[in-house]
Amino acid sequence: MSWAGYIVSVGELCTLPVVALLGAIAQPRLQYAIAKDGLLPRIFAEVDEKGNLVNGILISGFAMTMIALVVPFSFMDALCSAGSLLAFQLTNSSLILVRSDEVENYTEARRQMVVFSFSSLCAVVLSNVIVQCSLNGLSWLAVGFFGVISLACAWRLSKLCSGARKPTYVGYRVWGVPWLQCVSILINWQLLASLELWMLLVFIALGALAFVFYICVGLPHSVGNNTAWAAAEENGTDLRTLLLDDI
């Protein structure tokens, strides 16, 4: 299968510059939206007289340039892959939860989603350990145990999402929810587990650092968390209008 590796390498060389350029262009605007909610310092939300995000462009451009000069490409490639896979996991999970339009269904769906994510991750990690360490067949019982739990959670999620098939449902309709998303989550776990251990540890450390920043800085200053949600509940105001208004 070495020929497949060459094809993937050529595809990465062709698409990586485009992805990097698109990321660099969108980064200041993303920082602007996050800063408007208070999750980032106010400097990222400042614009000049022509409406350009000068501060955001300079800061993010300088940071990305220094990272590209100092960090090896192989390291960044694996780290970006891990970040993309995690983003796909969150997207698939969010899509399933959006389909649970009733309050009680949403609460249970969120609980089922957590159990499915954890059990599917355990099944993937255990299967990889068994294959790499050549363990005996009894070890597969643990994989089967977590696999059955994952299948049961996916089946329950399909029942919770069945409200979208009702004629009175006003949201979007798409085939295969939540089964396609559950399969995608399982595949993404497998791709993440195939990365080197030291890379996964670095990725977890960076994620923990971002989480600490969110708890210590973002959450206390978040406009949506402190004022917008309560104002919307009391006045029936659109949340998007509150977040896009000047702080």
Side-chain angles (χ1 to χ4, degrees):
M1 296 294 290
S2 59
W3 58 270
Y6 291 117
I7 295 177
V8 173
S9 299
V10 172
E12 288 184 348
L13 290 176
C14 294
T15 58
L16 186 59
V18 178
V19 174
L21 180 61
L22 292 176
I25 293 175
Q27 186 66 30
R29 183 60 59 178
L30 176 62
Q31 295 169 167
Y32 170 80
I34 299 176
K36 290 285 288 184
D37 187 40
L39 297 177
L40 281 179
R42 180 70 182 183
I43 188 174
F44 291 101
E46 295 178 356
V47 297
D48 61 7
E49 61 276 4
K50 296 182 179 180
N52 297 319
L53 302 170
V54 178
N55 294 331
I57 294 173
L58 292 177
I59 295 175
S60 61
F62 177 78
M64 286 187 286
T65 302
M66 295 305 298
I67 292 175
L69 288 174
V70 176
V71 181
F73 176 77
S74 59
F75 181 89
M76 289 302 303
D77 184 35
L79 192 61
C80 290
S81 297
S84 299
L85 291 172
L86 181 60
F88 293 153
Q89 298 292 67
L90 295 176
T91 301
N92 287 317
S93 301
S94 300
L95 192 148
I96 294 174
L97 294 178
V98 167
R99 293 293 291 269
S100 303
D101 53 313
E102 299 180 5
V103 176
E104 59 272 17
N105 281 4
Y106 177 80
T107 302
E108 184 179 355
R110 184 170 56 182
R111 183 168 53 251
Q112 294 290 339
M113 196 70 249
V114 172
V115 176
F116 172 81
S117 299
F118 177 77
S119 59
S120 60
L121 174 61
C122 290
V124 168
V125 172
L126 286 176
S127 62
N128 287 343
V129 171
I130 292 173
V131 172
Q132 294 176 4
C133 300
S134 301
L135 300 179
N136 56 41
L138 294 177
S139 303
W140 289 99
L141 292 177
V143 178
F145 172 75
F146 287 109
V148 170
I149 294 178
S150 301
L151 185 61
C153 291
W155 177 83
R156 182 54 184 163
L157 286 170
S158 67
K159 296 300 181 181
L160 295 175
C161 295
S162 60
R165 294 191 287 269
K166 298 178 181 179
T168 56
Y169 183 73
V170 296
Y172 72 95
R173 300 173 185 270
V174 65
W175 179 84
V177 178
W179 296 105
L180 286 178
Q181 288 69 38
C182 290
V183 172
S184 177
I185 290 173
L186 187 64
I187 295 174
N188 289 337
W189 282 141
Q190 176 60 41
L191 293 175
L192 274 171
S194 64
L195 297 176
E196 296 182 13
L197 179 59
W198 68 271
M199 175 54 62
L200 291 176
L201 293 178
V202 171
F203 180 72
I204 293 174
L206 292 176
L209 183 63
F211 180 76
V212 171
F213 177 84
Y214 172 74
I215 295 297
C216 298
V217 178
L219 195 60
H221 297 87
S222 172
V223 175
N225 182 63
N226 293 305
T227 59
W229 311 149
E233 292 178 356
E234 294 177 359
N235 304 324
T237 307
D238 186 8
L239 294 179
R240 289 173 297 180
T241 302
L242 291 170
L243 291 176
L244 294 177
D245 286 342
D246 289 332
I247 300 174

